[in-house]
Amino acid sequence: MIEVQDLHRHFGGFRAVDGASLRIEPGSITGLIGPNGAGKTTLFNVIAGVLKPTSGRVTMAGEDITGLSPHVLFHKGLLRTFQIAHEFSSMTCRENLMMVPGGQSGETLWNTWFGRKRIANEERALRAKADEVLEFLTVSHLAEQRAGQISGGQKKLLELGRTMMVDAKIVFLDEVGAGVNRTLLNTIGDAIIRLNQERNYTFVVIEHDMDFIGKISDHVICMAEGKVLAEGSLAEIKANEQVIEAYLGTGLKNKDQLEGAPT
Ligand SMILES: Nc1ncnc2c1ncn2[C@@H]1O[C@H](COP(=O)(O)OP(=O)(O)OP(=O)(O)O)[C@@H](O)[C@H]1O
Ligand SMILES: [Mg+2]
């Protein structure tokens, strides 16, 4: 689905991504791990068009998508979740979902004069879809709540929900589990697995919580110092000498993360 070839992203003389190459298979849930500063988020940002690469190539289903803007990639079904913007915090959760761009007629003059009925129909359909998404995520009770007032974990669910308002093909999630309680983390994990199985979403998930990675992913890629260090099952990765060294080299906290100990 996605192929990354010898990707670089440098900041001045610093090589945050330093020749990373990897493949994401269609229909997979790939866990992307690695010690702090490994270049995971930078890699995501380059793939998703938020940052331009210094060099290298990214293809999606064979098509060169290197350096395309997030907006263009969004319409191709490549999505990276973002925190709910501050401006949207006074809107309800349902309204936040309804705001996701994707095929609404919009407010051109033509529509204003001639398309009122169509817009009303679309709005009804959008609303129904938003409610369906909330139900899928088991948070229907949040429909009327303001986004600024829900918990951190519920916000993560809402961010995931935004990807369901369009026909996403591949979704990149950066630390969905950070600061989220166990119960909600399980809900997020279940939603990811169901979206994968029932709607054929491909996922790439950055996460430091190894239990979570173990539960949801069928393939794990470990990055260190801007490169892909190892790939395989989580058990293989955890037993890999180079991986252990990379985590150890960046301090005890990172080693604990690899072992899944509470940090
Ligand atoms: N805009 C930037 N300017 C300069 N350096 C940057 C920039 N963005 C990231 N870096 C550096 O690039 C390196 C990789 O950062 P990145 O955020 O990609 O790591 P990460 O693997 O996501 O780490 P973490 O697990 O802590 O989130 C870090 O040393 C970081 O300081
Ligand atoms: Mg990061």
Side-chain angles (χ1 to χ4, degrees), residues 35-42 80 174-175 206 208:
N36 295 119
K40 305 179 295 295
T41 298
T42 307
R80 180 199 194 297
D174 194 350
E175 300 201 28
I206 295 178
H208 286 295

Side-chain angles (χ1 to χ4, degrees), residues 10 43 46 58 95 119 164 185 196 203 227 231 244 250:
H10 304 168
L43 177 76
V46 173
V58 183
E95 286 165 347
I119 290 172
M164 298 168 63
L185 189 59
N196 173 256
F203 280 101
K227 296 182 177 71
E231 302 192 39
I244 294 168
T250 53

Side-chain angles (χ1 to χ4, degrees), residues 33-240:
I33 69 166
N36 295 119
K40 305 179 295 295
T41 298
T42 307
L43 177 76
F44 264 32
N45 284 335
V46 173
I47 294 173
V50 180
L51 287 172
K52 300 280 180 229
T54 304
S55 66
R57 204 167 111 99
V58 183
T59 57
M60 179 174 176
E63 180 194 357
D64 194 338
I65 58 163
T66 318
L68 296 183
S69 72
H71 169 79
V72 172
L73 292 170
F74 181 92
H75 287 284
K76 290 182 185 294
L78 188 156
L79 276 66
R80 180 199 194 297
T81 57
F82 283 99
Q83 289 186 339
I84 305 291
H86 185 67
E87 307 88 273
F88 292 175
S89 60
S90 64
M91 295 187 347
T92 67
C93 292
R94 180 192 287 124
E95 286 165 347
N96 262 277
L97 291 175
M98 291 174 67
M99 284 296 289
V100 176
Q104 299 105 302
S105 286
E107 293 180 342
T108 63
L109 186 62
W110 177 267
N111 283 324
T112 314
W113 285 100
F114 302 104
R116 279 172 206 261
K117 189 159 175 223
R118 189 170 82 225
I119 290 172
N121 283 336
E122 278 180 10
E123 194 159 323
R124 215 170 297 126
L126 259 181
R127 186 187 166 94
K129 187 155 187 189
D131 284 346
E132 188 197 312
V133 166
L134 290 169
E135 195 183 331
F136 184 98
L137 296 172
T138 70
V139 286
S140 295
H141 57 287
L142 297 181
E144 304 283 342
Q145 294 238 8
R146 290 177 195 278
Q149 283 166 351
I150 61 178
S151 76
Q154 289 169 334
K155 272 189 194 142
K156 300 272 180 187
L157 265 178
L158 191 59
E159 285 164 29
L160 185 60
R162 288 158 60 97
T163 71
M164 298 168 63
M165 293 299 291
V166 292
D167 290 322
K169 295 191 179 79
I170 180 161
V171 178
F172 292 83
L173 302 173
D174 194 350
E175 300 201 28
V176 272
V180 174
N181 73 47
R182 266 298 136 193
T183 313
L184 219 40
L185 189 59
N186 282 331
T187 308
I188 292 172
D190 291 343
I192 290 171
I193 292 168
R194 277 186 65 199
L195 284 169
N196 173 256
Q197 291 175 350
E198 296 173 19
R199 303 201 182 184
N200 205 28
Y201 276 35
T202 300
F203 280 101
V204 189
V205 183
I206 295 178
E207 190 47 68
H208 286 295
D209 184 322
M210 293 300 151
D211 288 341
F212 185 70
I213 287 288
K215 180 183 158 187
I216 66 165
S217 53
D218 39 44
H219 188 72
V220 177
I221 297 177
C222 178
M223 277 184 82
E225 296 179 352
K227 296 182 177 71
V228 171
L229 194 59
E231 302 192 39
S233 69
L234 182 60
E236 285 165 355
I237 293 288
K238 277 180 157 182
N240 182 299

